[in-house]
Amino acid sequence: MDTTSLPGKELAAAINADTKQRAAALAEQGAAPRLALVVANDDPASAWYVKSLNRAAERNGITCENVDLGVDATIEQIRAKLTELSEDASVDAIMLQTPLPKGVNLDDVSSAIAATKDVDGVSPLSLGLLASGLPTFPPATAEAVVELAKFHAIPLAGRHVAVVGRSNIVGKPLAQLLLAENATVTVCHSRTTDLPAVTSAADVVVAAVGRAGLIKAAHVRDGATVIDVGTNEDDNGNITGDVDAPSVTGKAAALSPVPGGVGPVTTALLMRHVVDAAQSARA
């Protein structure tokens, strides 16, 4: 069986083109969208991602401000800054980078981000609104999975989707987004008994657990669609996914690549969310 690739670059380009046009319209009114990136770590991967977001914002006509709180920032300091930015009318969108300082969990501080500015959907309020089917910003990576499937005409309604991973960033919100598309969803995790038996019964498998090469041929039925959300670093410093691509190729009908699949769509959606937030604030 030929396995079709599901790249995200064309979709990302289309999203960015619309985002750039809308950002330009706001700028002409003297109100260019403004994103605040809050960082409290010295993690190289996070630094790379922040630079990537800065470049994406610049390409799309979005003003991006990096707010570095330092690796020793406390829960109180992080919450205070997030509250300050939430109350600042000149800031349209807020993103809090991870990892956070030792002893600080995302749950400790994310509730300080106003839902209207929470463009990556990390606060409890944003996640609650999503679960309730109410308007909010979903986590961009989770949304990217659904948008990538739609772009490549992968049907979701009525189909069985197995999501491997239950994080608040991808797994749980993705389950809510898939339910909204009328999919039948199974969420798998480290305690799932006989994971291959569960995933191989699904029409679509989404790997979002953060373990390189976890999903192999035994986890996938013939003709299934596999979407790989993983971004792991191998021994050579290369980015690799949660799916053992060589093993799955020839068995799955379609597979998203890593890199170049979900990743570029995620970044494009974040930029779209920033402009959405800016337009809502000026409405």
Side-chain angles (χ1 to χ4, degrees):
M1 176 185 296
D2 290 333
T3 300
T4 301
S5 180
L6 304 174
K9 292 182 179 179
E10 185 179 350
L11 170 58
I15 295 171
N16 284 327
D18 176 68
T19 297
K20 185 175 182 178
Q21 184 179 45
R22 292 194 292 134
L26 288 169
E28 287 177 3
Q29 300 168 17
R34 182 180 170 205
L35 166 65
L37 289 176
V38 180
V39 183
N41 65 63
D42 57 1
D43 181 72
S46 177
W48 178 89
Y49 188 52
V50 167
K51 288 181 181 178
S52 175
L53 290 172
N54 274 266
R55 289 193 297 268
E58 184 178 2
R59 288 195 303 269
N60 284 286
I62 294 168
T63 301
C64 188
E65 174 189 357
N66 297 329
V67 182
D68 189 353
L69 300 181
V71 297
D72 297 321
T74 64
I75 291 174
E76 292 74 21
Q77 290 171 329
I78 296 171
R79 287 189 61 89
K81 177 54 69 173
L82 294 174
T83 299
E84 176 189 328
L85 293 169
S86 292
E87 294 173 350
D88 186 343
S90 71
V91 174
D92 298 301
I94 302 168
M95 283 187 63
L96 175 63
Q97 296 303 299
T98 56
L100 295 168
K102 186 177 180 180
V104 181
N105 297 314
L106 187 60
D107 291 344
D108 296 328
V109 294
S110 59
S111 61
I113 306 174
T116 54
K117 300 184 180 186
D118 183 19
V119 289
D120 206 14
V122 298
S123 77
L125 178 54
S126 296
L127 292 169
L129 290 169
L130 179 64
S132 301
L134 297 173
T136 191
F137 292 113
T141 303
E143 186 182 15
V145 172
V146 175
E147 292 299 314
L148 188 67
K150 288 181 177 180
F151 180 76
H152 288 286
I154 305 297
L156 296 173
R159 304 188 84 198
H160 180 195
V161 182
V163 177
V164 186
R166 55 177 169 178
S167 72
N168 285 340
I169 302 300
V170 184
K172 290 177 182 177
L174 176 56
Q176 299 297 332
L177 292 171
L178 290 167
L179 288 171
E181 297 294 329
N182 297 311
T184 299
V185 185
T186 300
V187 179
C188 308
H189 45 78
S190 60
R191 299 294 181 87
T192 298
T193 300
D194 196 355
L195 180 63
V198 178
T199 57
S200 63
D203 302 300
V204 179
V205 178
V206 181
V209 73
R211 288 180 57 189
L214 173 68
I215 302 300
K216 304 184 186 300
H219 295 82
V220 179
R221 71 163 178 80
D222 290 345
T225 295
V226 182
I227 299 179
D228 194 348
V229 180
T231 52
N232 311 287
E233 189 173 307
D234 66 15
D235 295 337
N236 299 317
N238 298 315
I239 298 298
T240 185
D242 288 354
V243 177
D244 182 1
S247 173
V248 169
T249 299
K251 189 173 186 182
L255 170 65
S256 69
V258 175
V262 172
V265 181
T266 297
T267 302
L269 288 172
L270 282 170
M271 296 301 111
R272 182 168 77 180
H273 289 177
V274 174
V275 174
D276 287 343
Q279 288 186 319
S280 294
R282 293 155 179 69

